[in-house]
Amino acid sequence: MTESAHRPGPRSRPARDLLALTAVVAVVLAAISLVVASHASASSSPTRTLNVTGSGTVTGAPDTVTFQLGVTTVRNQATEALKVNNLRVKSLERALLAQGATKKNLQTSNFNIYQMTDQNGNLTSFNVSDTLEVTMHNIAKAGGAIDAAVAAVGNGVSFNGVSFSQSDQSRALASARTKAMKAAHAAAASLARAGDVTLGAPLKIVDQENQSSPAPYPFFPGAFATSGAATQTRLLPGTQSVTVRVSVTYQVNA
């Protein structure tokens, strides 16, 4: 057999195309591997952060008062106790309305009917109690309303304390939030300077508002005298503080 018979002939066109395609795919895969490696290297460096807290407080005068007035009646028969107590509650409502309270701000907060027994368990009487929660937006009239209610009901009246509030706290909260954020930024800037880093933008803000109220106004039913010389009850609202605390996470850069 001659030499020319063993010499390999030229490759066919499909074979050449397959080799070229394989080379292109290898280049593309190499490029993708490079991008993935670069991304993994970048993501492996965590974002540096600084977490601080700040608080802001705004103090204002309450304009709303809420208190509870109750009526209790004891009779031998349940029906009689309920009937008498209902009449006394009606008198209580009329007295409150005459002093500036409104029906929409009178709400039954508690109502009970229960038996009274002696030490041997024998039935002695029935007790009926009805309590109204009263909200008034004119604090100056609240003392007179309490006086009138007690005078209308007489013995058997109960009073369960006073709480004050601001009917619209939106402005106070907005101002307190602004103060809290300024305090947090000042703390973060100070820490960043101390740590020789540059303070970036806030990444996370958590609002932790907290309203503090003044102590309840003490009330003693025995303090109401039956003579006309009794001094009108005065409710002193004082001031009320609205406090907002924020937790802020800032990004920091070297």
Side-chain angles (χ1 to χ4, degrees):
M1 184 176 294
T2 63
E3 183 181 351
S4 62
H6 296 281
R7 180 182 303 168
R11 295 181 179 179
S12 63
R13 182 179 181 85
R16 293 197 305 271
D17 292 344
L18 179 59
L19 289 173
L21 179 59
T22 301
V24 171
V25 171
V27 172
V28 172
L29 289 176
I32 292 175
S33 299
L34 180 61
V35 171
V36 171
S38 300
H39 179 71
S41 176
S43 61
S44 62
S45 300
T47 302
R48 302 172 67 185
T49 61
L50 174 65
N51 188 72
V52 295
T53 59
S55 66
T57 300
V58 175
T59 301
D63 59 6
T64 301
V65 59
T66 300
F67 53 87
Q68 291 184 336
L69 278 169
V71 179
T72 301
T73 301
V74 180
R75 292 291 187 275
N76 292 332
Q77 299 295 323
T79 54
E80 182 185 3
L82 180 61
K83 180 180 179 180
V84 173
N85 204 74
N86 287 342
L87 292 174
R88 299 175 75 192
V89 171
K90 284 291 184 182
S91 298
L92 174 67
E93 292 177 9
R94 285 194 295 268
L96 291 170
L97 294 175
Q99 294 295 321
T102 60
K103 281 192 174 182
K104 68 178 182 179
N105 288 325
L106 299 181
Q107 184 180 50
T108 300
S109 61
N110 195 23
F111 183 80
N112 289 300
I113 301 176
Y114 55 91
Q115 298 179 351
M116 305 287 289
T117 58
D118 59 22
Q119 59 184 2
N120 296 319
N122 299 317
L123 177 65
T124 58
S125 58
F126 289 87
N127 183 304
V128 177
S129 63
D130 194 347
T131 303
L132 295 180
E133 182 171 279
V134 185
T135 300
M136 296 185 67
H137 297 290
N138 188 337
I139 297 178
K141 290 186 176 182
I146 294 171
D147 289 344
V150 172
V153 175
N155 294 335
V157 68
S158 62
F159 190 95
N160 297 326
V162 170
S163 63
F164 297 96
S165 62
Q166 298 177 24
S167 57
D168 183 6
Q169 290 189 342
S170 57
R171 290 185 179 180
L173 284 172
S175 180
R177 289 191 183 103
T178 299
K179 289 186 175 183
M181 284 300 297
K182 287 182 177 179
H185 185 271
S190 177
L191 288 172
R193 287 192 300 269
D196 197 22
V197 293
T198 302
L199 188 65
L203 302 178
K204 182 180 180 181
I205 301 174
V206 179
D207 186 351
Q208 303 169 337
E209 67 182 65
N210 177 36
Q211 175 183 333
S212 59
S213 302
Y217 181 85
F219 175 84
F220 303 96
F224 283 90
T226 56
S227 67
T231 304
Q232 177 176 303
T233 299
R234 294 180 61 214
L235 301 184
L236 306 179
T239 58
Q240 188 174 51
S241 298
V242 175
T243 299
V244 171
R245 292 179 176 85
V246 293
S247 176
V248 187
T249 301
Y250 288 92
Q251 180 176 345
V252 294
N253 306 304

